[in-house]
Amino acid sequence: MTTKHFFILSIFLFTTISNFAIQPDTIKIEHTSKAPKFDGKADDKVWKNSQWITIDQVWIPWKGTIDKDDFSGRYKVLWSEKANLLYFVAEISDDVFRDGYIYSSTDTNYSEYDIFEIFLDPNRSGGLHVFDGPCDETNNAECWGKNAENAFTYHINVNAPLHGKYTTKKTVEDIYGTNLDDKKIVNFANHFPQFACGKNGNTYTYEFSLKVYTDSYNSMKPSEKHRDKLHAGKIMGLAAAFCDDDHKTGAPVRDNFIGSTAGNNNALDDKGNFNQAWMNASYYGVAILKDAH
Ligand SMILES: [Ca+2]
Ligand SMILES: [Ca+2]
Ligand SMILES: [Ca+2]
Ligand SMILES: [Ca+2]
């Protein structure tokens, strides 16, 4: 290989790799003064300034392999100072789309459907975030957290749109309460003021804005008083994931769970899967908001 050929190959490899990167150690979130058009298509000019982050780390089964026809996914994120919002777009390719979840304050099945999931820890404190438990986080195996809003896990359910169209309807769930015997399901749909999910063949494009709330937010008494103020330099915990169910009928079942971050061998659950982000924000990735100007 000549030096010239090596140079061309290097450029090709760099371009290929930089277009499809695993979530970097720290995501640098670009600012936009303009919102995308929320139509379930990722072709807006504003998205061009942001890098795709792949969702390809298999958390269930831990370090498993997923066929591309079965699932592939990637996402982008931007922020707006004026709107005080995060903007997301995600492209998910899935061979069988299992939808149909109907929100109920007691139905915990939401996580078994095909769902796109965002994990957000607005002040990057890390730590447990499941319940408002009266517990000692440093010395209690049954402790699930003292503040359920320490971080937010958004399980986004849609009813799939027809080919070439999009839906704006969604439910967004997580559990809250004080302990496992007291758990309820909160619908966080209002945290997503703009939302669309488009369908093109087996590709589902989620495009939405997200309001960020501080850890003073109370799911029982939601209030805009607890909106967080996005600013350049703000550091947050962030990861994305997809729960893949390919059963066409019967009770929904999570076949695979695929995340944007690598997970941790030392934090496997009791079934040997990496599945810790839903309960502990210390396993989120890191993101920083870049300068607005
Ligand atoms: Ca769009
Ligand atoms: Ca699939
Ligand atoms: Ca926090
Ligand atoms: Ca599926």
Side-chain angles (χ1 to χ4, degrees):
M1 188 186 295
T2 65
T3 306
K4 184 181 164 194
H5 284 127
F6 178 76
F7 180 72
I8 291 169
L9 180 66
S10 301
I11 293 285
F12 171 75
L13 285 173
F14 176 77
T15 307
T16 305
I17 291 165
S18 60
N19 278 342
F20 301 96
I22 183 178
Q23 181 159 323
D25 288 347
T26 301
I27 304 172
K28 292 174 181 161
I29 301 179
E30 299 285 347
H31 180 265
T32 179
S33 50
K34 203 169 170 225
K37 184 178 178 188
F38 295 94
D39 58 359
K41 290 182 192 159
D43 57 359
D44 312 69
K45 263 191 187 167
V46 297
W47 291 124
K48 289 198 166 59
N49 197 27
S50 180
Q51 189 184 51
W52 285 112
I53 300 163
T54 55
I55 301 170
D56 63 356
Q57 303 295 300
V58 184
W59 294 350
I60 296 179
W62 175 236
K63 291 191 173 176
T65 52
I66 301 283
D67 196 86
K68 270 202 163 170
D69 295 337
D70 184 349
F71 169 83
S72 65
R74 57 184 188 169
Y75 78 103
K76 290 182 175 188
V77 54
L78 294 167
W79 76 284
S80 166
E81 185 170 50
K82 192 173 168 199
N84 198 25
L85 292 168
L86 297 176
Y87 299 132
F88 286 88
V89 66
E91 282 186 350
I92 303 296
S93 182
D94 183 14
D95 49 348
V96 179
F97 198 81
R98 184 68 190 272
D99 59 358
Y101 175 77
I102 297 169
Y103 173 76
S104 125
S105 62
T106 54
D107 183 352
T108 57
N109 250 357
Y110 60 84
S111 62
E112 307 295 314
Y113 292 83
D114 277 316
I115 53 171
F116 182 62
E117 197 163 346
I118 292 283
F119 300 96
L120 186 69
D121 180 2
N123 66 352
R124 208 196 162 223
S125 60
L128 298 168
H129 64 84
V130 183
F131 292 130
D132 294 320
C135 56
D136 176 358
E137 296 195 27
T138 58
N139 190 28
N140 184 348
E142 294 302 310
C143 181
W144 298 78
K146 285 190 284 194
N147 179 6
E149 292 81 11
N150 168 24
F152 296 88
T153 303
Y154 295 114
H155 303 81
I156 304 169
N157 275 283
V158 297
N159 285 328
L162 297 171
H163 179 82
K165 299 189 176 173
Y166 67 86
T167 181
T168 57
K169 291 184 179 156
K170 82 285 183 189
T171 58
V172 185
E173 302 81 24
D174 196 21
I175 53 175
Y176 77 103
T178 56
N179 60 60
L180 281 176
D181 297 326
D182 167 55
K183 69 175 183 291
K184 293 183 176 57
I185 314 301
V186 62
N187 187 346
F188 281 127
N190 288 341
H191 292 206
F192 297 75
Q194 289 119 345
F195 181 90
C197 179
K199 175 175 165 64
N200 186 0
N202 280 346
T203 300
Y204 300 83
T205 303
Y206 298 72
E207 190 173 33
F208 55 87
S209 59
L210 177 61
K211 294 178 180 178
V212 178
Y213 292 91
T214 70
D215 59 7
S216 299
Y217 184 82
N218 183 345
S219 297
M220 315 276 266
K221 292 182 192 162
S223 165
E224 291 302 292
K225 272 194 315 192
H226 302 301
R227 279 288 291 283
D228 209 345
K229 179 68 189 135
L230 301 183
H231 59 86
K234 181 175 175 59
I235 296 175
M236 305 182 296
L238 177 66
F242 194 78
C243 301
D244 189 11
D245 173 4
D246 290 338
H247 296 78
K248 289 180 180 162
T249 57
V253 181
R254 182 186 290 180
D255 298 317
N256 301 114
F257 193 21
I258 307 104
S260 63
T261 54
N264 183 331
N265 267 324
N266 297 322
L268 304 183
D269 69 10
D270 57 4
K271 298 188 179 86
N273 294 308
F274 179 78
N275 187 18
Q276 296 295 307
W278 76 278
M279 59 187 295
N280 195 328
S282 298
Y283 297 106
Y284 295 6
V286 186
I288 183 166
L289 302 181
K290 284 186 72 176
D291 284 349
H293 307 292

